[in-house]
Amino acid sequence: RAELAEEITFEFPARGEVTGGVLQAKSAFPIGLLVDRLRRDIAARFVVYPQLGRLSPDFIREIGGRAELAHRSVPHHSMGDVMGLREYRPGDSLRRVAWRASAHRGKLVVKEFEEPRHMELAVALDGCIPRPSMKNDLEWLVSLAATLVKQSASSGWHIKVATGGNSGVSRFDVESSGRFSEVMRHLALFEAARIGRAEMLLQILRDGGDKSAAVILLSLEPPPSTDEDVIVVNRQRRPDAFTLEKAKT
């Protein structure tokens, strides 16, 4: 009697919840003389995660640059431990000046702080679809959000995610593998909203997040009042930021 172990890869046409199904298999192993067929009902329930992709190198550099600018703009008490002192250079924030040491030395010196251990990201996903024809554009944004979460998990980044979909507003602070699975499941089941919540999502992230985070807004119709320090991404505005990979689950 011969046995054959085979790994099967399923491809699903879309993200979301899949319940049950039928598995059919046919084998002529080992020499093709006899054909054996198998049919099994599958009662299991699957959650298909969003299709992932690749962030472009330019987009990753932009995120890193915004995170660095945000980190340097916050007051010194949120920057970490003081590593030492150095002479003042044009462009240094006056908040970094060590006034007592400057008076003692007779010249301006500033404090140097430890760099943050992890890059901080804050991602807002607005699920509003301005027109029915833009459904695929929203799927692109959901996949981008999922890829940012996965990239953060593999790169040691700290990411906060706020979403506005059909079920309301949700917020996640992804620092552990458990939270990673939770936010990926949420994105898998995310449904479009009737109203835009971009401004609300950005406010939620700012009120409850680190001021040194790079802020990314994923929105098909971003509000005109969006701050300049927010990276606004959609397929029409930034098609080069992200490339989808072939979907396999």
Side-chain angles (χ1 to χ4, degrees):
R1 178 182 177 182
E3 293 185 359
L4 174 65
E6 181 70 20
E7 180 178 333
I8 301 175
T9 299
F10 294 94
E11 295 189 14
F12 294 93
R15 63 183 173 85
E17 190 173 62
V18 179
T19 304
V22 177
L23 173 64
Q24 299 185 72
K26 182 175 71 173
S27 174
F29 179 83
I31 57 177
L33 295 179
L34 298 175
V35 177
D36 191 18
R37 290 178 172 83
L38 173 70
R39 177 188 171 94
R40 291 287 186 272
D41 291 329
I42 302 176
R45 180 174 296 176
F46 304 95
V47 174
V48 182
Y49 285 175
Q51 184 178 353
L52 298 176
R54 297 187 304 275
L55 304 176
S56 73
D58 288 343
F59 186 50
I60 293 176
R61 282 192 292 269
E62 181 180 3
I63 294 172
R66 291 295 181 93
E68 177 65 17
L69 286 174
H71 169 68
R72 294 186 181 281
S73 67
V74 298
H76 62 79
H77 58 73
S78 62
M79 290 184 180
D81 297 330
V82 177
M83 296 180 60
L85 300 174
R86 63 166 172 79
E87 290 188 18
Y88 174 86
R89 293 195 294 259
D92 285 336
S93 172
L94 292 178
R95 292 176 299 196
R96 292 188 173 213
V97 174
W99 295 107
R100 289 186 180 180
S102 297
H104 179 72
R105 298 186 185 187
K107 58 182 178 181
L108 285 179
V109 293
V110 296
K111 300 173 185 178
E112 287 196 299
F113 299 90
E114 288 184 346
E115 294 297 322
R117 294 181 179 179
H118 306 290
M119 184 155 69
E120 305 282 342
L121 296 184
V123 177
L125 172 61
D126 181 14
C128 180
I129 300 181
R131 295 177 297 279
S133 61
M134 300 183 75
K135 181 179 179 180
N136 288 337
D137 295 324
L138 178 61
E139 288 302 311
W140 189 87
L141 289 182
V142 174
S143 289
L144 174 52
T147 299
L148 285 167
V149 172
K150 183 177 184 297
Q151 179 81 32
S152 299
S154 61
S155 302
W157 302 348
H158 181 196
I159 182 171
K160 295 179 174 64
V161 180
T163 66
N166 186 50
S167 60
V169 173
S170 301
R171 184 181 181 277
F172 302 88
D173 192 343
V174 186
E175 291 185 286
S176 65
S177 58
R179 295 292 283 176
F180 168 79
S181 299
E182 183 181 355
V183 70
M184 291 296 285
R185 178 183 176 85
H186 174 77
L187 292 173
L189 304 177
F190 184 79
E191 295 181 349
R194 295 182 179 180
I195 61 173
R197 297 187 176 93
E199 292 179 330
M200 179 190 299
L201 297 172
L202 291 174
Q203 191 61 48
I204 289 172
L205 289 171
R206 285 174 172 140
D207 289 346
D210 190 337
K211 303 300 183 184
S212 66
V215 182
I216 303 172
L217 172 61
L218 309 180
S219 175
L220 298 177
E221 198 169 54
S225 59
T226 304
D227 293 340
E228 292 183 358
D229 61 339
V230 176
I231 303 174
V232 180
V233 182
N234 55 49
R235 190 150 60 174
Q236 287 69 37
R237 183 181 293 211
R238 296 291 304 274
D240 59 332
F242 169 70
T243 303
L244 285 169
E245 296 177 342
K246 185 179 179 181
K248 285 188 178 182
T249 306

